Amino acid sequence: MNALLEVLQPGEPDWELARTIDPDRLPAHIAIIMDGNGRWAGRRRLPRVAGHQAGVGPVRNTVETCGRLGVKVLTLYAFSVENWKRPRAEVETLWRLLRYYLRQELPELQKNDVRLQAIGRLDALPAPVRKELEAAVEATSSNRGLLVNLAINYGGRAEIIDAVNAILEGARLDGSISSLKLDEELIASNLYTASCPDPDLLIRTSGEMRISNFLLWQIAYAELYVTGTLWPDFTRRDLLEAIVEYQKRDRRYGGLSAPPQRHESAELPPKRNEALIEALRLS
Ligand code: IPE
Ligand code: IPE
Ligand code: MG
């Protein structure tokens, strides 16, 4: 059963944690490098694909929790351009699981007003996978709640190259190429994530201290949070902990600290995030 069917009650660990989150300073965009499926399986002497299978539940829970919290965008790194180096059977299992996820979750995504978007070089996906992905994207296109970007056959460098090539092509077509000048706005508006704010919080599971070619342009000022938890073990609690840690950070963007907040205590007055706790509760 879905782990989110637990009810948040006063005194439960997640309830205490939720109390410390300031609903007015939630990260608008959370990006996650979902790593550690293979190690999760290895520790149980299971094949790697069992780890990928066990990684589906945390995707479902993370999407649901982000939606309930009021996060605007969640970008999930599901398959990198480098992941084709893996054995064919593993890659095929990943496609099967993606199709399973889409089929299984579509009604729930619709119910929760989630809009799906896929980012990456989708042309290279097996045709049936691509078709199913496009159908799910289309089916949820008028939803207005959480935007979930699934990064599939995604590479940060590939994305920047695709953006620059799209700009060059446009300029060739409209004859402006000789006076073309690149700037940050022009590049950002041609990235796969053009419609999204940059990630505020980048989470990586499994303890690896690297970016692995994820959202290279967009994470210029993201807050990084690495947890040793392996992706299949990632729970709502882990997500809330990451958000609590994010809210302790001083985001200076190269400038100076903002003036001190009025609430000095880590725990906010109960009234302030009643709505947030309520949002996490299932009726
Ligand atoms: C992340 O888990 C899933 C994908 C990259 C598709 P891994 O498969 O990378 O798991 P580890 O890092 O080998 O444990
Ligand atoms: C990053 O994980 C890609 C995804 C989570 C989809 P990897 O497991 O592929 O990254 P490396 O090889 O450890 O850098
Ligand atoms: Mg890995």
Side-chain angles (χ1 to χ4, degrees):
M1 200 188 250
N2 187 331
L4 275 180
L5 293 179
E6 305 152 359
V7 175
L8 268 189
Q9 295 290 355
E12 278 186 56
D14 283 3
W15 185 82
E16 287 296 334
L17 205 52
R19 284 184 72 193
T20 66
I21 292 177
D22 180 350
D24 298 332
R25 290 190 307 118
L26 282 173
H29 183 171
I30 299 178
I32 308 184
I33 303 174
M34 308 183 289
D35 197 18
N37 295 353
R39 276 163 282 172
W40 184 93
R43 285 179 195 175
R44 288 163 179 73
R45 299 182 190 284
L46 294 169
R48 290 179 55 82
V49 294
H52 297 314
Q53 219 163 341
V56 176
V59 172
R60 178 184 300 144
N61 295 340
T62 302
V63 168
E64 183 163 3
T65 303
C66 284
R68 284 172 185 277
L69 285 171
V71 170
K72 303 274 181 262
V73 187
L74 172 67
T75 300
L76 298 173
Y77 204 4
F79 191 90
S80 76
V81 291
E82 286 84 16
N83 286 148
W84 294 103
K85 293 175 190 164
R86 297 184 179 202
R88 201 168 134 187
E90 180 172 341
V91 172
E92 278 169 6
T93 299
L94 288 168
W95 300 141
R96 260 202 306 280
L97 282 172
L98 174 61
R99 294 176 77 186
Y100 166 81
Y101 172 80
L102 295 172
R103 264 180 235 163
Q104 192 81 4
E105 291 307 302
L106 197 55
E108 196 66 12
L109 297 175
Q110 298 289 34
K111 200 181 97 195
N112 294 331
D113 205 22
V114 173
R115 182 157 66 94
L116 259 194
Q117 190 172 268
I119 61 170
R121 289 186 171 165
L122 306 177
D123 289 358
L125 302 190
V129 178
R130 198 178 140 190
K131 256 179 138 175
E132 211 150 328
L133 191 58
E134 283 169 353
V137 167
E138 175 58 30
T140 62
S141 61
S142 52
N143 291 346
R144 287 292 166 260
L146 175 70
L147 168 63
V148 174
N149 290 318
L150 289 181
I152 301 169
N153 196 26
Y154 174 89
R157 288 182 175 178
E159 180 181 31
I160 294 169
I161 290 166
D162 288 352
V164 173
N165 278 330
I167 294 166
L168 288 174
E169 183 63 15
R172 247 181 245 121
L173 287 173
D174 69 17
S176 65
I177 192 131
S178 60
S179 58
L180 176 66
K181 249 190 145 166
L182 296 177
D183 59 27
E184 289 194 9
E185 210 184 321
L186 186 58
I187 291 181
S189 64
N190 280 277
L191 296 174
Y192 310 142
T193 55
S195 56
C196 306
D198 285 342
D200 300 293
L201 171 61
L202 172 65
I203 299 172
R204 181 164 190 152
T205 58
S206 91
E208 305 291 2
M209 296 286 186
R210 56 177 172 260
I211 300 300
S212 300
N213 202 9
F214 192 39
L215 301 174
L216 295 180
W217 177 280
Q218 298 91 329
I219 59 166
Y221 267 104
E223 294 299 324
L224 309 182
Y225 180 85
V226 176
T227 168
T229 303
L230 303 175
W231 178 252
D233 292 327
F234 191 82
T235 60
R236 175 173 67 186
R237 182 175 179 76
D238 292 299
L239 179 63
L240 296 179
E241 278 172 356
I243 294 172
V244 168
E245 168 63 26
Y246 163 83
Q247 293 191 333
K248 290 180 189 159
R249 304 278 178 90
D250 181 13
R251 303 188 76 190
R252 292 189 291 275
Y253 299 96
L256 302 178
S257 298
Q261 298 280 310
R262 266 198 300 149
H263 296 293
E264 293 296 333
S265 95
E267 193 174 285
L268 290 159
K271 262 197 183 150
R272 198 110 179 258
N273 53 10
E274 237 164 48
L276 189 143
I277 291 170
E278 188 53 39
L280 287 171
R281 193 195 310 268
L282 272 190
S283 52

